[in-house]
Structure formats: structure tokens, C-alpha cells
Amino acid sequence: MSEPVANVVRVSKTHTPSEKPLTSRLRERAAAYWDSAIEARLRIWRIMPLAGGWRVGALAVLGLVLGALPIVFMIATSTMIGGVPNAVGAGVGTAEWDGLVRLFLIGAGAFMVQQILAPVQQMLGLAIQREVDGKIRDQAVRSVTSSIGIASLEDGKTLSKFAEARTPFENNFHTPGNAVGGMLFLIARYTQLFALLVIIWALFGPAVTAALTAAIFILRTGNRGGLRNYSAIWRTNGHLRRRLLYLRDVTLGSLAAKEIRVFGSMPWLRGRHHDAFFAFADPTNAERRRIYFKPYLVYTAVGLVAVAWALFSLVSRAAGTGMDAGELETGAMSLTDLTLGLQALTGALMLARDYPESDTSTQFGMNALTALREVEAAVIADDTAPRGEAAVPEDAPHHSIEFRDLHFSYPGADEVVFDGLNLTLEAGKSTALVGVNGAGKTTLMKLLARLYEPTAGGIYVDGTNIADFDIVQWRHTLSVVFQDFVQYEFSAADNIAAGAASVPHDRAAVEAAAAAIGMLDTLRDTPHGLDTTLARGYADGIDLSGGQWQRVAIARSLYALEKGARVLVLDEPTAALDVRAEAQFFDQFVDLTRGATTLLISHRFSSVRRADRIVVIENGQVIEQGSHADLMQTDTHYRRLFELQAKRFREGLDADEDADADAMGTVR
Ligand code: ADP
């Protein structure tokens, strides 16, 4: 039994990199290089077709032209300089002089065309970026929203990937489209480099060219390698960067503006920002120094040797001595060759450095896509629920919606939310659900909407499991308003019509829904009536109070009912309404909901008492149910809480939200 210990030692030893055989270490390094350098570039080429053939073609041709123009300039000016002594000797008006002028015009023309085309290249790059990013965004939205459930989108790891993908797209910086543009910009650089090396070959022969090519390759590789390693650190420290960006948003944004002032929390937030900044910057900068310093010394040395070698070749050629008498001609270089050689050598060495228009975008641009693909993969892997095929009958639910022996736990969570819940909602009636915080009321809504699937048991509509229904049809049957309903930065009318966005916008129905909940006059009084944008920060945009927003949400659900939904689910629909507005809503409730099957979650007993049936849930089970009158007849949990709240209300405390929550104890 002493074996395992020896095994452990042996296993851990074999994992020590320094003790691995050289060949396997080299293989690993080659594989890592392939993944991070070559495969990463190939990925950019693979998404290039998204840019559209003509744009890619145009930018490629432009790259060739922009790469060739400096060479034309270089040759024209060198030849011109070489021709100066003769032309000066011959005088103005001679053929030699005219030749000089022609060369000047060619050089100047090449320079000017380059100046004119450079912005065109930029513009095409931007167009390509927009096109590629737009398509990637659309594709991601389609695949992420096409999943039935939302489990993966509520998962911490996926959310973090989502945040990582979102920032570059929001800022239009370091996006996949940038990477494609950056890749195409390389054509100009490499065309120019290739032409310079041809000139160098012609002037100095293969040895100098080979040495220079090797030096340029080493310098470029070193540059890109450093950037690649830094990019890996940037990704690893992503969570620290996100915390920093969050704190910047909070301190500068309007969301926390009120609290920051009232609680005087700015120094505290500034402290947090300071800590977050150094938590991100210290390790990142330390890594940056580690990554760049040693290579910097090595590459600078290589660079200096390359420059020295190149200039020495030039000088020795010009002086006619030659470094290698066998290889180099004797005799001084012509003035043209000297000028051209000098320009070609310095030009080539300049191209051994970083390419700002390309390097960072090709290095960082694909990070957002990688993160996005990971989100998509998580969503797709999680999207295993059946889509269902059965048509939802036109009158469903006709009898009931039945939660039968329902078991549910959130994926990855130990806690059991429902452990055999049985509950029947009578069709056409209203059922109110009450229970302590965390009892599972919202979860029940999510299961009904099939945003999650039960672990066991099921939900049956007139006897058919909702998992068998065509998912799209089933969801059209529902009108659901979550507590955290979406406040779209759209017009009031669009905010209401969002309840049935798949049917043509019906202005009359929008107005009827707004009127039903007492919001029509308020909305009509805004600068553009129902077309006013419900958000500050837009011209004539307005913000609504919490209660007004809640009415808009209720109007949205009523609009959905008007457009064919038959099951209405409202989570705390009146929590932000004042007592009078709430009373008004419930007075009209039956009228407004027109016989729909209604599930109402509310912690205000004054509102749930009007429901046809009240259901109290606790620990994943129904513990009490019946009408208000039934439940008040015996000593129920419901009655105790109702009386407690009524007492507080009589004492005049109920209008206050905190007191209200208080009155519930922990019950909501
Ligand atoms: P209620 O609406 O009754 O307040 P919920 O349905 O929101 O309760 O929550 C029921 C339980 O499930 C709670 O313990 C809550 O913490 C947990 N829960 C809610 N949403 C998630 C989620 N996305 N992932 C994991 N657990 C969750």
C-alpha cells in the first residue's frame, strides 16, 4: 500500500516542465505557438467573408497600391538625386533636366496619391468593421435568444463571458471587425517590405538580404509574441478590469447619483475605485514588465546588429571595398544606388517594428468573439428542452393549469425549490400566490413560461404537458409581467405594444390598454404624447415614476391579452402603486382581465383577498389554499398575516413601503 505515495510523486514529477523530455517540451511549445499565433490568425481569415467580397477585394487592392507607392517614391527620388549632377551640368531645358522634372513629378505624384488613398483605406477598414461586427452581433443575438431556457444566461460564468464580449462591441474597439480590417491592412505593409527586400537583394546580394530578413522576422515575432503574452494576461485579469469599469460606471453614471449624494458615499466609492485600480494595474503592469523587458533587451540587440550590418554593407559598397570581395563588386556605388540603398535599408528596418493599425486589433479583436462563442456554446449546450409540436388549442386553458408533483432545483444549486408541489389553477379564474421570500413564487412563473424545465413532474394544461406544446404558440398564450420588467428606452406606445411585438402595432389597442390602467391622460400630456421616449437623455425624453412604470407594465400585459394571450401572470403588479391606484386597479381587475386565467403574486393582502383563490406556499409545498373567506374562517397562516397587515394599515402605516414589508414579517 506504499505504492500510491510513490505514484503520486512520480505523477507530479512527470508534470514538472523542466523534467519533460526536450522533444515533448518543444512539441508543446510548437502546439501552443500554433494555437495562439497561427490558428488565431486563421480564425480572422475564416470570418473575413462576413465583410463581403468587394470590400475585402477593394481593401486588398488598395493595400497593394499603398504598399507599392512608397517604392515608386523611393525609386523616383533616388534616380532623381542620382541624375542631379548630369542635369546640372547639362543645364535647364535639356533632356537630362526634363528627365529630372519627370522623376520629381512621379515621386511627388506617388506621395500625393498615397496621402489621398490612406484615408480611403481607413474608411474601407471602418466599413468592414461595421459589416463584420454587425453580422456577428446578429448571429449571436439569434443563437442566444433562440434557446428555450435561460439557465445558461443566469449562470455566473456565462454572464462574465457575456460582459467580456460586450465591452468591445459597445466601444467599437478591438472587435472581430477590427481584426479583419487590421489583417487586410497588413497587405500594404508586407507588399512594401517585399519590394524593399527585392531592392536590397538587387543592390547588396543574398547574404545581406537573408540576414536582414531574419532580423526583421525576429523583431516582428518578438513584438507580436510580447503582445500575445500581454493579451493573455489581459484576458486572465478580465474580472479585475470589469470591477474597475463597473466602479467607473457607478461613480460617473446617473444610477447611483442620488445615493452618492445623500449617503455621501463618494469617498467610499473613490476608495474602492482606487483599490480596484491597483488590484488590476499592479499585477498587469508587473506582468507587462516581465513580458517585455528581457525580450526588449534581446530584440534591441538584434535590431542594433541588423542596423550596423546593413549600414556597414552600404558604406563598404559605397566605398568600393566590399565586405566579401567575391560577392560584392568592386568600385563605388552610383549616387542613385546609394540613395536607394539607404532608403531601402532604413525603410525595411522601420517595418521590423509594430504596425499600430494592425497589431493590437488582430491580437485583441478576436477576444470578444471567443467570449461570444463561449456564451453561444453554453447556451446551445443547455438548450436541450423539447420545443414541442402540439398546437395549443384556441380555448386553452379551458379547464385548468395543473402543477403536478413538481420538483425543481436551479442547475448547479443544492437547494430544492419545489419538492413535489401540487397546485391547480382554475381556468378563467384568478389565483393569488403568497409565500415567504424565496418560497419559489417567481420560479413558478419561470417554469410556467418554460424558461426552466422541471426536474421532475410537470405542468399540464387541460391534461396536456406544456412541454408538448409548440413553444412559440404556448408563449403567445401567456402574458407575463416579471417584477424586473423591462423599461425600454422607447416610446410609451412601443413600451406597451412590447407585450405582443410579433403582431402589427395596434395604436387603438395601445391607447385602450393605457386608458384601462389610468395612464392615457398622463402619457398624452407628455411632449409627444404616446410617442414620447420614456427615458431621459433623449430629446424630449421623460422618465416615469416607479408607479407609473408599473402601470405601463400592466398596460403591456393587458395589450398582450387583447392580442390573444389567455393566461395572465403578474408578479407584484402593484408593489409600486399608491394605495388608491392599487384599489382602482383591483376594482377593475375582473373587467380588465376579461376571464383570463390569472396568477397573481402579491404581498399585499388587500390585493390578494379579491382573488378567486389564494394559495400559500412554503418550503416548496402548498400549505394553504381557498378563498379569502375560507382562509379567514380558521386559524390559518394567511389569517394571522392578513390581520397583522390590516392592523398596521388601520394604524396608518401601510402606505409606507417599509412598514408594509415589515407588516409581512418576512412574508411577501
Ligand atoms: P420568491 O419569488 O418566492 O421570492 P424565487 O422563486 O425568486 O422566490 O426563489 C426561490 C429560490 O430559488 C430562492 O432560494 C432563490 O435564492 C433561488 N433562486 C432564484 N433564482 C435563482 C437562480 N437563477 N439560480 C439559483 N437559485 C435561484
Side-chain angles (χ1 to χ4, degrees), residues 98-239:
D98 288 350
L100 215 59
V101 172
R102 256 198 311 279
L103 286 168
F104 174 79
L105 289 176
I106 293 172
F111 182 78
M112 275 168 58
V113 174
Q114 197 183 342
Q115 299 307 305
I116 292 166
L117 290 183
V120 178
Q121 186 195 32
Q122 291 293 326
M123 270 162 47
L124 256 175
L126 277 178
I128 282 180
Q129 181 191 350
R130 264 199 308 273
E131 193 69 21
V132 171
D133 291 344
K135 284 184 181 152
I136 287 176
R137 225 180 354 241
D138 284 354
Q139 187 186 330
V141 167
R142 260 201 312 277
S143 58
V144 169
T145 53
S146 67
S147 75
I148 292 187
I150 57 166
S152 50
L153 294 178
E154 290 192 348
D155 175 70
K157 232 164 74 195
T158 320
L159 285 175
S160 140
K161 287 284 160 204
F162 212 58
E164 191 180 323
R166 218 179 46 211
T167 315
F169 279 102
E170 275 173 2
N171 299 339
N172 257 343
F173 186 59
H174 288 166
T175 61
N178 260 162
V180 171
M183 192 58 110
L184 289 165
F185 288 156
L186 284 176
I187 294 175
R189 293 282 194 169
Y190 286 126
T191 303
Q192 189 181 351
L193 182 59
F194 178 75
L196 290 173
L197 289 173
V198 169
I199 294 173
I200 290 166
W201 182 303
L203 291 176
F204 303 101
V208 173
T209 313
L212 203 66
T213 308
I216 290 170
F217 178 76
I218 291 170
L219 289 168
R220 279 289 298 156
T221 309
N223 210 305
R224 289 307 314 250
L227 197 58
R228 207 162 42 242
N229 292 339
Y230 182 59
S231 153
I233 304 300
W234 184 259
R235 287 196 70 186
T236 315
N237 291 349
H239 61 292

Side-chain angles (χ1 to χ4, degrees), residues 154 410-411 413 415 417 435-444 446 452 483 571 617:
E154 290 192 348
Y410 280 97
E415 188 199 357
V417 184
V436 295
N437 271 338
K441 304 179 297 291
T442 305
T443 305
L444 206 64
K446 292 184 192 167
Y452 284 89
Q483 250 175 310
D571 195 356
I617 59 171

Side-chain angles (χ1 to χ4, degrees), residues 622-662:
V622 173
I623 55 162
E624 290 166 359
Q625 58 180 312
S627 68
H628 173 74
D630 292 344
L631 292 171
M632 292 300 283
Q633 267 172 15
T634 51
D635 181 25
T636 56
H637 195 72
Y638 173 82
R639 181 170 134 181
R640 279 197 303 279
L641 291 165
F642 180 85
E643 284 174 349
L644 179 62
Q645 197 172 66
K647 180 165 167 278
R648 299 294 294 257
F649 184 75
R650 278 194 302 277
E651 288 167 0
L653 296 172
D654 194 60
D656 173 61
E657 271 299 311
D658 294 339
D660 206 6
D662 223 21

